[in-house]
Amino acid sequence: MTDPLDVATLQRRLADFAAARDWQRYHTPKNLVAALSVEASELVEIFQWLTPEESADVMADPDTAHRVTDEVADVLAYLLQLCEVLGIDPLAALDAKIDRNERRFPLP
Amino acid sequence: MTDPLDVATLQRRLADFAAARDWQRYHTPKNLVAALSVEASELVEIFQWLTPEESADVMADPDTAHRVTDEVADVLAYLLQLCEVLGIDPLAALDAKIDRNERRFPLP
Amino acid sequence: MTDPLDVATLQRRLADFAAARDWQRYHTPKNLVAALSVEASELVEIFQWLTPEESADVMADPDTAHRVTDEVADVLAYLLQLCEVLGIDPLAALDAKIDRNERRFPLP
Amino acid sequence: MTDPLDVATLQRRLADFAAARDWQRYHTPKNLVAALSVEASELVEIFQWLTPEESADVMADPDTAHRVTDEVADVLAYLLQLCEVLGIDPLAALDAKIDRNERRFPLP
């Protein structure tokens, strides 16, 4: 039986992976945000010529579904590594942001 | 006492927030990946003129630390909303990707 | 009477502008491509929630037209500065690329 | 003897190329800005793990020099196509932007 996945476990796997390959010296915050934006653009590339309707249906094709899932993983990988080197808790950051947005865009 | 934060809880908050404002019609996968890439670039903007050494020290300034944390939250918000509309489990996607990377970049 | 605009004239203006403010030390190729991608994303931000039809009509609103034109200028500014520091002729690069694309995507 | 290259000539070549392949229906402004940002990120990808010093030296390696030049061409191609569909003169836009920046960042 495996433990359920959580963010801290994945961050530890990512840090171990980078450390074992001596890649941590490349992982300045500046480089990690660049890599994050590159991976986000690889997601955009999948969708760039699609109509809104076609974009809603990308998971119907197994190859495209795999590509999208793979790029989502890459974005999350760099986001979690960035948070690790900067000492940011991503889930707490988002929770606080939703709180601020609820005040910024109040319901009628 | 509050429950510990997890991805599913945040996804529910984000979905409720969008639904209450009738914003879900904007949230095609194509639009969400564009918004994700825009937020990732807002992170890059903070770092674009910094040296590697300066970039490692961004959290020392409270205003910059807040900006970085806020943009991290925005990136995560769009990533989780994208995963929600596409039916992707982001933590499982990353776990599988690390497995593949361990085979792709084997240790000596 | 002013001379007609050309790329070399604009590159000289940009270089003079940066030199007069001692900004050239920030203009490593790495930083310039980051800035270029940030400006490209500011263009995306204008369009991110628009339908294809709305996007075709952005120039009808004077404020939006000004924003789009301004971001186009920013993208071009960083592209020309990048070409200057790397010694690339952007028009020749594009001309050669169209030649290659004509061979890569031949007409029936 | 060939005519010297200019922006209008390249825009005509790009428009003819797209029209001959019936690609113009994909070239909404929204899609073109997405493609522009994707190409800008492909430039970033080349530089993402480089030190500032390494980034200043990318043209020394012929393969990397070719990749950089090719991506510069792609960015310019989408920028010029965007300007064509929106009726923006990119050189005039940049000239006006430099004028505004000279007022915004005056010399001492």
Side-chain angles (χ1 to χ4, degrees):
Chain A
M1 187 191 126
T2 55
D3 286 337
L5 286 168
D6 62 38
V7 164
T9 303
L10 290 167
Q11 282 182 309
R12 199 162 43 243
R13 284 197 76 189
L14 290 165
D16 290 347
F17 183 89
R21 285 153 189 82
D22 196 22
W23 287 357
Q24 287 171 318
R25 65 203 155 108
Y26 297 112
H27 288 185
T28 64
K30 183 180 174 108
N31 288 359
L32 288 169
V33 297
L36 170 66
S37 78
V38 167
E39 297 301 336
S41 284
E42 293 184 3
L43 264 175
V44 173
E45 191 179 13
I46 300 173
F47 291 90
Q48 64 188 348
W49 305 121
L50 302 186
T51 63
E53 297 72 28
E54 289 166 341
S55 94
D57 209 34
V58 286
M59 302 304 278
D61 176 67
D63 284 349
T64 310
H66 184 271
R67 270 180 78 198
V68 171
T69 305
D70 197 60
E71 298 298 350
V72 162
D74 285 336
V75 170
L76 185 58
Y78 285 119
L79 187 67
L80 294 187
Q81 289 178 96
L82 177 71
C83 287
E84 174 103 352
V85 300
L86 295 180
I88 293 171
D89 178 332
L91 301 186
L94 177 51
D95 195 55
K97 179 71 185 246
I98 300 172
D99 287 345
R100 285 199 298 281
N101 277 345
E102 286 177 340
R103 291 191 297 271
R104 189 175 157 207
F105 303 101
L107 289 176
Chain B
M1 189 191 123
T2 54
D3 286 337
L5 286 168
D6 62 37
V7 165
T9 303
L10 290 167
Q11 282 183 309
R12 197 161 46 241
R13 285 198 75 190
L14 290 164
D16 290 347
F17 184 88
R21 285 154 188 82
D22 196 21
W23 287 357
Q24 287 171 319
R25 64 202 156 110
Y26 298 112
H27 289 184
T28 64
K30 182 179 174 109
N31 289 358
L32 288 169
V33 296
L36 171 66
S37 77
V38 167
E39 297 301 336
S41 284
E42 292 185 2
L43 263 176
V44 173
E45 190 179 13
I46 300 173
F47 291 90
Q48 64 188 348
W49 305 121
L50 303 186
T51 63
E53 296 73 28
E54 289 167 342
S55 94
D57 209 34
V58 286
M59 302 304 278
D61 175 68
D63 284 350
T64 311
H66 183 272
R67 270 180 80 200
V68 172
T69 305
D70 198 60
E71 298 298 350
V72 162
D74 285 336
V75 170
L76 185 57
Y78 286 119
L79 187 66
L80 294 187
Q81 289 177 96
L82 177 70
C83 288
E84 174 103 352
V85 300
L86 294 180
I88 293 172
D89 178 331
L91 302 186
L94 177 52
D95 195 54
K97 178 70 186 246
I98 301 173
D99 288 344
R100 285 199 298 280
N101 277 344
E102 286 177 339
R103 290 191 297 271
R104 188 175 158 209
F105 303 102
L107 289 176
Chain C
M1 190 192 124
T2 55
D3 287 336
L5 286 168
D6 62 38
V7 164
T9 303
L10 290 167
Q11 281 182 310
R12 199 161 43 242
R13 285 196 77 188
L14 290 164
D16 290 347
F17 183 89
R21 285 155 188 81
D22 196 21
W23 287 357
Q24 287 171 319
R25 65 204 154 108
Y26 297 111
H27 288 184
T28 62
K30 183 180 173 108
N31 288 359
L32 288 169
V33 298
L36 171 66
S37 78
V38 167
E39 297 301 337
S41 284
E42 293 184 2
L43 264 176
V44 174
E45 192 180 12
I46 300 173
F47 292 90
Q48 64 188 347
W49 305 121
L50 302 186
T51 63
E53 297 72 28
E54 290 167 341
S55 94
D57 209 34
V58 286
M59 303 303 279
D61 176 67
D63 284 350
T64 311
H66 184 272
R67 270 180 79 199
V68 171
T69 305
D70 198 60
E71 298 299 350
V72 162
D74 284 337
V75 170
L76 185 57
Y78 285 119
L79 187 67
L80 294 186
Q81 290 178 94
L82 177 71
C83 287
E84 174 102 355
V85 301
L86 295 180
I88 293 170
D89 178 333
L91 301 186
L94 177 52
D95 195 55
K97 179 71 186 245
I98 301 173
D99 288 344
R100 284 198 298 282
N101 277 345
E102 286 177 339
R103 290 191 297 271
R104 189 174 157 209
F105 302 102
L107 290 175
Chain D
M1 190 190 124
T2 55
D3 287 338
L5 286 168
D6 63 37
V7 165
T9 303
L10 290 166
Q11 282 183 309
R12 198 160 45 241
R13 283 196 77 189
L14 290 164
D16 290 347
F17 182 89
R21 285 154 188 81
D22 196 22
W23 287 357
Q24 287 172 319
R25 64 203 155 107
Y26 297 111
H27 288 184
T28 63
K30 182 180 173 108
N31 288 359
L32 288 168
V33 298
L36 171 66
S37 78
V38 167
E39 298 300 337
S41 283
E42 292 184 2
L43 264 177
V44 173
E45 191 179 13
I46 300 173
F47 291 89
Q48 64 188 347
W49 306 120
L50 303 187
T51 64
E53 297 72 29
E54 289 167 341
S55 93
D57 209 33
V58 285
M59 303 303 278
D61 176 67
D63 284 349
T64 311
H66 183 271
R67 270 180 79 199
V68 171
T69 305
D70 197 61
E71 298 298 349
V72 162
D74 285 336
V75 170
L76 185 57
Y78 286 119
L79 188 67
L80 294 186
Q81 289 178 96
L82 177 71
C83 288
E84 174 103 353
V85 301
L86 294 180
I88 293 172
D89 178 333
L91 302 186
L94 177 51
D95 195 54
K97 179 70 185 246
I98 301 172
D99 287 344
R100 284 199 298 281
N101 277 345
E102 286 177 340
R103 291 192 296 272
R104 188 174 159 209
F105 303 101
L107 290 175

